[in-house]
Amino acid sequence: MDTSSPPRAATRPSIALTAAMFTVSAVLGAQALAWIAFPAASPFRVDSSAPIAAALGPSAAAVLELALGAAGMALAALHLAPPVRGGRVLAVVAAVLTISAGFGFLGFTSLAFAGYALVGIIPLAVLTALILLARRHPWAATGIAVVIVALTIVGQASGLFPIGDVAVRFASALKDGGIEAGSALSAIAFTGVWMLAATRGWGDGPLARAVLRRRVPLTIAAAACALPYVFSRLSWLTPWPLLGSPASFPADERAGVLVMGLALGTAMALGGILTLGLILPWGERFPRWMGLLGGAPIPVPLAVTPALVVAALFTFGGVGLAVDSLGGIAPLGEASWTIALVLPFWLWGPLLGLATWGYALHRRAAAG
């Protein structure tokens, strides 16, 4: 089958996408009203790493957030109408919402919360994978579970990898920063969903055909962006640590810092592996070992939606992170190219967006 000429996509979003557009907009608007009513609880009261929010200040940032939420709900309602001549206009307005929210509210803080959230999800993902594996290979699943539990007990008892202590600290930090985390995650969801709405219908034209032809190298390049940070965290296991060191912390905290650093490195590596799924067979069909799901086609929205949300976060948050790292803005400390190179989200985000677009075009063309 010829997949070099992607078919034209419909401009009208699905009911599910429209519902998502309205929901994330309503949540953003509701939390903005909370910040306006209770300014002492606003996450914008502290220094923001998002460019526009930092420039506006807490009160104006909350008003901007409210305006974006209200505009999003109105635009979602308009998307319910037949896609006549207004389809392109709605896409442009969706792009404006995406850019405004991205540069307005995504920065280093959003990236940090997303990274820690992924670390927290990893144990649930492992548990889910073991349950699915057990449906077809119960002994293999049992063996893997026993090894994981044994390593956890030995690491905790010996103090070399105190995973339990790290989990307690992680929960405590999440509790203390719950408002900031919730605000960041809602901004991430809003930006990602509206990015999906803005790019819907970009299924034809020279650029689409070029992305489809080059989707494999684009995806590999995107996945490779994970390597610098993964390598820096693996270096903590050697006498030559890079990008900080557990040795710089008090003695009773070093093991916990090492575990968290390795966990973040694992999360970054997982992100790279999932990126490669956009061009590998298991990115189109669930692997055979996944029980009842094994061999079934992966729904395109299930792959494309989270990938575009992450692409939006990486793009806008990565730009803010790169600017902060070069300008020495807290919490990154001294001005340096190092952070921008070791955490190249500013590059990973656009590449992931193109790779995801190529994946969607490939699946659409393969489906005829």
Side-chain angles (χ1 to χ4, degrees):
M1 179 180 295
D2 181 13
T3 60
S4 61
S5 298
R8 184 181 298 275
T11 58
R12 187 176 183 177
S14 65
I15 296 298
L17 176 57
T18 303
M21 291 155 52
F22 187 88
T23 300
V24 296
S25 301
V27 170
L28 194 75
Q31 75 175 21
L33 287 174
W35 310 150
I36 294 172
F38 306 99
S42 171
F44 303 130
R45 72 188 186 280
V46 298
D47 292 338
S48 175
S49 59
I52 296 179
L56 292 177
S59 299
V63 172
L64 172 62
E65 194 172 61
L66 176 62
L68 291 176
M73 287 189 290
L75 190 56
L78 288 176
H79 265 289
L80 292 174
V84 288
R85 294 184 178 182
R88 290 293 181 182
V89 175
L90 294 177
V92 171
V93 178
V96 172
L97 290 179
T98 301
I99 295 171
S100 300
F103 285 122
F105 305 109
L106 301 186
F108 174 79
T109 302
S110 301
L111 289 168
F113 278 126
Y116 285 111
L118 182 56
V119 169
I121 291 173
I122 287 178
L124 296 178
V126 172
L127 178 61
T128 301
L130 287 175
I131 292 174
L132 292 173
L133 177 62
R135 296 299 299 266
R136 291 200 176 191
H137 306 284
W139 289 110
T142 302
I144 295 173
V146 169
V147 170
I148 292 175
V149 172
L151 290 176
T152 301
I153 294 174
V154 171
Q156 181 68 33
S158 65
L160 295 176
F161 292 95
I163 297 177
D165 294 347
V166 172
V168 171
R169 294 182 183 181
F170 182 86
S172 176
L174 183 61
K175 179 182 177 181
D176 294 339
I179 292 179
E180 289 80 1
S183 177
L185 293 177
S186 65
I188 293 169
F190 179 91
T191 306
V193 169
W194 280 104
M195 182 176 179
L196 182 62
T199 56
R200 187 176 180 83
W202 292 8
D204 202 0
L207 181 57
R209 289 190 289 271
V211 168
L212 181 58
R213 287 194 301 269
R214 296 171 175 81
R215 71 184 193 94
V216 172
L218 284 171
T219 304
I220 294 174
C225 291
L227 294 177
Y229 186 79
V230 173
F231 180 79
S232 72
R233 286 301 169 255
L234 288 176
S235 73
W236 283 14
L237 299 174
T238 75
W240 308 280
L242 301 173
L243 197 65
S245 170
S248 62
F249 288 81
D252 61 337
E253 297 182 9
R254 291 173 186 171
V257 170
L258 174 61
V259 171
M260 183 55 71
L262 293 177
L264 289 172
T266 300
M268 186 74 83
L270 180 61
I273 293 171
L274 291 175
T275 299
L276 289 176
L278 296 172
I279 57 173
L280 294 176
W282 54 264
E284 298 186 30
R285 289 185 175 275
F286 290 104
R288 291 289 181 183
W289 58 265
M290 296 187 69
L292 298 176
L293 294 176
I298 295 176
V300 175
L302 184 62
V304 169
T305 301
L308 278 183
V309 170
V310 173
L313 168 64
F314 284 4
T315 299
F316 295 108
V319 170
L321 174 61
V323 171
D324 286 355
S325 67
L326 297 179
I329 300 175
L332 299 178
E334 299 180 1
S336 172
W337 284 92
T338 305
I339 296 294
L341 294 177
V342 175
L343 297 171
F345 293 114
W346 52 270
L347 177 61
W348 194 349
L351 287 175
L352 178 58
L354 291 172
T356 305
W357 187 14
Y359 171 87
L361 294 172
H362 165 73
R363 293 291 303 274
R364 189 180 302 147

